[in-house]
Amino acid sequence: MHGGAGSGRYREEDPRFAGLVGAVEAGLAAMKKGSGTDGAVAAVGSMEDSGLFNCGRGACLTAEGRVELDAAVMSGDGLAGAGVGNVTSTHRPVALARWVMDNTEHVLLVGERTRDYVKLARLEVEELTPSEASAARFEAISKEARHRGALRLVRRFKTGDTVGAVAVGSDGVPAAAVSTGGRWMKLPGRVGDSAILGAGLFADSKLGAACATGTGEDIIRVGLCMRACEYMEAGTAQRAAARSIDRISRVRGRGNAGIITVDLKGRVGAAFNTEAMGRAWFDEVKGRVVATVGPDR
Ligand code: ASP
């Protein structure tokens, strides 16, 4: 599980630390009865509920101060997957993406009409409102925007605390899921990497799974997660994660991306070119979930 690569380091006492560990535990519980996809979706769902990260109840806001969410899910089994973008009527867009994957032919549904599928997916139809913390931050940024112009301001918020998970089920099928509010002050209607298969996530039964965080516009351009999965053909999950981050750093510069990976044996990898990336995973040797934020493992 990752909790984004944009907020710098935080300490073990920070509630996000427990949020990451709790999310992995929720994913593992779902995988006792279900697949890797069930685990990844449950883990991301727990982060959406928490309000602590840039997704679900804690999402960042558009230049108009609104919540517009992106999410996606993918299973390596037959490259099944789907994304949703600009979702405004459920704080659980990852569950909506799962419904689109399981019930339609499509890989991307966006905009106001996603409300229709929220009902069909038996999720509660909500009017999403900014959290207190997000509203306060928007107020502060808006003051600056009046001086500098909102269009330029978005560049300062390259990445945030998007969340994502990768897993391999007991059937050996890898899966990934991701959910985000996108970038602070993004233009209304913008869709980022987290809705797009191959960019913000990828899973392939022959390779493994990957999930990204960072500047969506850069991640889409280099097809980051598909690339990371292809790198697993010739190397470990950790090596593939590092190679994919080297690649995006070379092509688009540093400070814009983080990634987590899992190979078919369940070995995990993580890499980022920002200061830090919160992440947690089940450590088989220690027999428990562990979490870290900095470059150490
Ligand atoms: N990848 C997200 C986006 O660009 C941002 C993030 O990772 O925080 O929509």
Side-chain angles (χ1 to χ4, degrees):
M1 180 98 227
H2 75 70
S7 288
R9 285 171 192 254
Y10 41 88
R11 300 161 79 89
E12 230 175 299
E13 308 75 70
D14 189 294
R16 284 173 290 183
F17 228 86
L20 280 161
V21 171
V24 175
E25 283 166 350
L28 290 170
M31 283 170 70
K32 287 217 168 92
K33 309 181 282 280
S35 62
T37 306
D38 294 328
V41 169
V44 168
S46 131
M47 303 283 262
E48 289 175 331
D49 287 347
S50 76
L52 296 170
F53 297 87
N54 174 20
C55 64
R57 297 194 196 283
C60 69
L61 307 180
T62 68
E64 288 178 350
R66 295 190 66 218
V67 178
E68 291 186 3
L69 306 176
D70 299 340
V73 57
M74 191 161 178
S75 158
D77 188 10
L79 303 182
V84 290
N86 297 153
V87 173
T88 56
S89 45
T90 173
H91 79 278
R92 278 279 186 116
V94 76
L96 185 60
R98 176 76 192 263
W99 183 88
V100 176
M101 166 177 136
D102 289 343
N103 294 281
T104 82
E105 286 289 302
H106 304 310
V107 295
L108 185 59
L109 290 178
V110 301
E112 287 295 332
R113 294 297 301 271
T114 53
R115 173 186 294 268
D116 301 355
Y117 312 110
V118 171
K119 276 187 221 142
L120 286 171
R122 296 183 195 283
L123 293 163
E124 187 194 336
V125 178
E126 303 164 66
E127 285 313 323
L128 296 185
T129 48
S131 68
E132 254 176 53
S134 293
R137 192 163 179 203
F138 181 78
E139 201 39 50
I141 298 168
S142 299
K143 271 193 198 134
E144 195 181 332
R146 281 195 280 278
H147 295 293
R148 296 192 192 200
L151 286 179
R152 281 214 319 268
L153 210 59
V154 70
R155 283 192 205 137
R156 196 148 66 69
F157 304 98
K158 290 166 106 180
T159 175
D161 284 345
T162 287
V163 307
V166 292
V168 178
S170 53
D171 55 2
V173 176
V178 57
S179 184
T180 188
R183 292 172 63 181
W184 269 101
M185 304 304 278
K186 66 184 181 179
L187 295 181
R190 177 258 194 193
V191 176
D193 61 300
S194 304
I196 298 176
L197 310 186
L201 77 171
F202 199 68
D204 184 328
S205 285
K206 295 193 174 64
L207 301 168
C211 183
T213 169
T215 313
E217 286 72 8
D218 289 344
I219 293 169
I220 293 170
R221 282 184 172 99
V222 302
L224 189 69
C225 285
M226 187 186 285
R227 221 175 251 282
C229 285
E230 282 177 358
Y231 290 152
M232 278 192 265
E233 208 165 8
T236 62
Q238 180 53 39
R239 181 81 197 105
R243 271 185 81 187
S244 69
I245 293 299
D246 282 352
R247 170 82 195 178
I248 197 167
S249 303
R250 269 204 314 279
V251 179
R252 303 292 302 169
R254 293 180 58 79
N256 58 1
I259 197 166
I260 53 171
T261 49
V262 66
D263 66 19
L264 298 179
K265 294 199 172 118
R267 292 175 300 206
V268 295
F272 46 95
N273 64 12
T274 58
E275 187 195 340
M277 178 174 75
R279 56 206 189 277
W281 66 98
F282 182 75
D283 185 310
E284 259 167 343
V285 178
K286 294 187 179 134
R288 64 182 168 85
V289 178
V290 292
T292 187
V293 174
D296 49 301
R297 282 209 67 195

